[in-house]
Amino acid sequence: MEQAAVNISKAGFDEIRKDFPVLSQQVNGHPLVYLDNAASSQMPVQVADRIDRYHRFEHSNVHRGIHTLSQKATDYYEAARKKIQVFINAADEHEIIYTTGTTDSINLVANSYGLTNFSEGDEVILTEMEHHANIVPWQMAAQKTGAIIKVIPVTDSGELDIEAYKKLLSPRTKMVSVIHISNALGTVNPVKEIVDLAHEAGAVTLIDGAQSIPHQNIDIQDIDTDFYVFSAHKMCGPTGFGILYGKKHLLDAMPPYRGGGDMIDKVTFEETTYNEVPFRFEAGTPPIAASIGLSEAIDYLSAIGMDAIEARESELVEYAEAELRKIDGLRFIGEAENRASVLSFVFDHIHASDLGTILDKQGIAVRTGHHCAQPIMRRFNVPATTRASLAFYNNRDDIDRLIEGINYTKSFFE
Ligand code: 7TS
């Protein structure tokens, strides 16, 4: 039976935990405390049920069939595009391209836009806190074109050095590609300012929104970025699906990245002409069920309200930070003024993986390691951190359990 999303103004955040059955299980003999939301968030039953119903009763391939089921699947698939457009306030639904996730979206831009627009000596500006997904595709494009990667440094508190960024910008800057919220530090970057400065220098921008889309209201037209990318699985949706938003005039001028069915206009052995945007970038049978799942996830998040989610998470982060600060020997990596949902920390005498393993034995799921952001680990001179990352369905009890777990672990090392 399908459940309606909880009305948060009536029910309060603790009520919504019942939408996430995964949270009420025992792990290693303890009630689960899930604090690995930056890696992947959990899926509410409303989204799981919607995907299940599609598979049971509605499945067919899209864009090809004259028959009713195929037409319905196409309608759902395209309605999801419209839903995503409205959710991020993009100007046109054709600016929404389906990909397999943030990584895939960046690879698409680096290959399609980068390989056509970069030449010898052109510059791509990244930051020291990027996820590898926003480093490696640009390096690969730079190797092929002779472009050069420049890096905005990070201050001791984990913020971008905006003055250094201004100095890096030049007429040679072709692309500025920046993480919105750091998955390793939690820093919220001033993306509007970064985009404005890039545009003044004549550069194009990409914002990696993998960690921002689940936590705050995103208004693409207000940020005015040229590209914005995110993954469904970090916002209560399914894995293997994500979005590339791009300004229409840029997408229209970009060549396809992958060839195959659906992305063509006419094919002969001599020549192929291509379909219009966004279909030009969606070769082959697409992730139909996943698009419907993301659409349902957006309905779920919207019913709660992104502003309410942001406020809830800020309150939890503030509480967690204050409680963690009381633990002797704990050192935060990343203490930006403007920080969201991620708490990364180290102890001098406890390795992160030991801490993570002992926490897991107590049913507490955190992530340890370099978080696919090795350059920022090097910047702070640590091989790894322990990272607790929060979602709106976490509560103070989860944080109290984390603190207890850390104190228990510490007792082994003293
Ligand atoms: N960019 C950022 C900022 C991310 O946090 C991640 C995933 C990605 C890109 C890649 O997303 P994907 O969906 O294509 O894999 N971050 C993490 C993390 O912090 N722990 O596991 C995955």
Side-chain angles (χ1 to χ4, degrees), residues 38-39 101-103 131 133 179 183 208 210-211 231 233-234 367 387:
T102 304
T103 303
H131 187 283
I179 196 165
N183 66 314
D208 175 352
Q211 298 295 343
S231 301
H233 70 96
K234 294 185 198 285
R367 184 149 295 241
R387 181 187 73 182

Side-chain angles (χ1 to χ4, degrees), residues 36 38-40 100-106 129-134 179-184 208-211 229-234 241 367 371-372 387:
D36 194 20
S40 210
T100 66
T102 304
T103 303
D104 193 33
S105 299
I106 299 174
M129 63 172 86
E130 295 310 318
H131 187 283
H132 298 161
N134 198 26
I179 196 165
H180 192 172
I181 297 182
S182 161
N183 66 314
D208 175 352
Q211 298 295 343
V229 297
F230 57 96
S231 301
H233 70 96
K234 294 185 198 285
F241 188 60
R367 184 149 295 241
H371 316 297
C372 294
R387 181 187 73 182

Side-chain angles (χ1 to χ4, degrees), residues 42-60:
Q42 296 297 345
M43 184 183 282
V45 287
Q46 290 84 349
V47 176
D49 286 351
R50 181 66 192 93
I51 294 172
D52 180 69
R53 187 168 54 153
Y54 170 76
H55 283 305
R56 282 173 195 270
F57 303 113
E58 299 167 349
H59 172 65
S60 182

Side-chain angles (χ1 to χ4, degrees), residues 334-365:
E335 294 188 84
E337 189 98 6
N338 197 357
R339 156 149 73 159
S341 299
V342 166
L343 298 138
S344 224
F345 49 87
V346 292
F347 288 92
D348 284 341
H349 303 297
I350 312 173
H351 196 280
S353 64
D354 290 337
L355 177 55
T357 305
I358 299 174
L359 289 174
D360 179 55
K361 294 277 175 277
Q362 301 164 72
I364 302 162

